[in-house]
């Protein structure tokens, strides 16, 4: 190394700087070694766990919907059984004050005490005169010549009506003890053409 005039050559200092540089490079190399990414196996495990969680959520939602559907079916059947029991006790159908065999149209949401739901509740056949639907729809009763029906009115999805019909009857909204109606006063029509997705059980 050429020493400039007037300067002092310090070999120890040069050695120290070279040593520091080598040490710094070793630290960088060690840091890079410690900064490992996820292996393919680890990523695969995470994806499997996520898939299981999503599958569990979807399955849980399906179970909840099935339970609500079963509850709705049980409620319809409870209305039917209650109406027969009321008839045996009182001698007429609930809501049929003039005893002509035709139940006066009524809705469970009206809180009336002298209609189908109110009279069943008064005799202890229902816990409340205003039963509510699992799907946020309304329970109604109507006469559709030649039979009386208790219905779930204005279901949000046709699939719910189809599920009830399939489990209780033949899956056809125009035949059997379960029929679908486009509204509370119109005649029976196929579920596929039901505007409001009403589903009715014959009493």
């Amino acid at each position: 190394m050429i020493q400039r005039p007037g300067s002092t050559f310090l070999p120890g200092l040069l050695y120290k700087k070279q040593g520091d540089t080598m040490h710094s490079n070793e630290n960088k190399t060690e840091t890079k070694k410690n900064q490992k990414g996820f292996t393919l196996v680890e990523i695969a495990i995470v994806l499997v766990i996520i898939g299981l969680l999503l599958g569990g959520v979807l399955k849980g939602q399906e179970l909840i919907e099935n339970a609500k559907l079963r509850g709705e079916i049980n409620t319809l059947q409870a209305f039917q059984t209650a109406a027969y029991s009321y008839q045996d006790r009182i001698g007429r159908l609930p809501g049929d004050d003039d005893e002509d065999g035709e139940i006066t149209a009524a809705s469970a949401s009206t809180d009336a005490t002298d209609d189908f739901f109110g009279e069943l509740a008064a005799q202890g056949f229902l816990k409340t005169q205003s039963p509510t639907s699992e799907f946020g729809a309304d329970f109604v009763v109507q006469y559709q010549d030649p039979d009386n029906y208790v219905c779930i009115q204005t279901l949000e999805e046709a699939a719910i009506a189809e599920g009830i019909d399939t489990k209780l009857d033949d899956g056809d909204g125009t035949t059997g003890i379960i029929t679908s109606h486009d509204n509370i006063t119109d005649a029976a029509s196929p579920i596929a053409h039901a505007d409001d997705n009403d589903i009715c059980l014959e009493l």
Side-chain angles (χ1 to χ4, degrees):
M1 176 177 291
I2 300 174
Q3 183 178 1
R4 295 180 181 179
S7 63
T8 304
F9 176 63
L10 300 174
L13 181 60
L14 178 60
Y15 175 78
K16 184 177 180 182
K17 289 182 178 179
Q18 290 174 340
D20 288 346
T21 301
M22 293 174 62
H23 185 67
S24 175
N25 290 337
E26 290 177 356
N27 288 340
K28 290 180 179 179
T29 302
E30 188 67 24
T31 301
K32 289 181 179 180
K33 289 181 179 179
N34 292 332
Q35 292 177 343
K36 294 180 179 180
F38 291 109
T39 66
L40 291 177
V41 173
E42 291 171 332
I43 294 175
I45 292 174
V46 171
L47 292 176
V48 168
I49 293 174
I50 292 174
L52 291 173
L53 290 174
L54 290 176
V57 170
L58 294 176
K59 187 64 178 178
Q61 290 176 337
E62 181 183 349
L63 291 174
I64 291 172
E65 289 301 310
N66 286 338
K68 289 169 65 176
L69 185 64
R70 173 49 60 185
E72 209 78 327
I73 290 172
N74 290 341
T75 301
L76 281 178
Q77 291 175 318
F79 290 148
Q80 186 184 55
T81 301
Y84 294 154
S85 298
Y86 182 97
Q87 187 176 33
D88 288 340
R89 179 184 296 180
I90 306 299
R92 63 173 176 83
L93 288 168
D96 180 20
D97 294 335
D98 55 8
E99 300 185 27
D100 61 355
E102 299 179 14
I103 297 176
T104 304
S107 171
S109 61
T110 60
D111 294 329
T113 58
D114 58 350
D115 64 7
F116 176 85
F117 302 100
E119 290 184 349
L120 286 177
Q123 290 293 323
F125 294 114
L126 293 181
K127 293 181 180 180
T128 173
Q129 65 190 37
S130 303
T132 56
S133 165
E134 295 280 355
F135 296 99
D138 294 324
F139 288 118
V140 296
V141 64
Q142 69 170 12
Y143 175 77
Q144 188 73 50
D145 190 28
D147 299 302
N148 293 291
Y149 293 90
V150 60
C151 309
I152 308 172
Q153 187 180 27
T154 318
L155 287 164
E156 293 182 358
E157 299 178 14
I160 300 173
E162 292 172 357
I164 293 173
D165 196 344
T166 299
K167 288 181 179 297
L168 276 181
D169 199 18
D170 55 6
D172 185 344
T174 63
T175 61
I177 62 171
I178 291 286
T179 56
S180 62
H181 297 249
D182 57 5
N183 59 58
I184 193 61
T185 58
D186 287 354
S189 60
I191 290 176
H193 301 97
D195 297 332
D196 296 327
N197 299 322
D198 298 348
I199 192 78
C200 301
L201 173 63
E202 180 183 327
L203 293 175

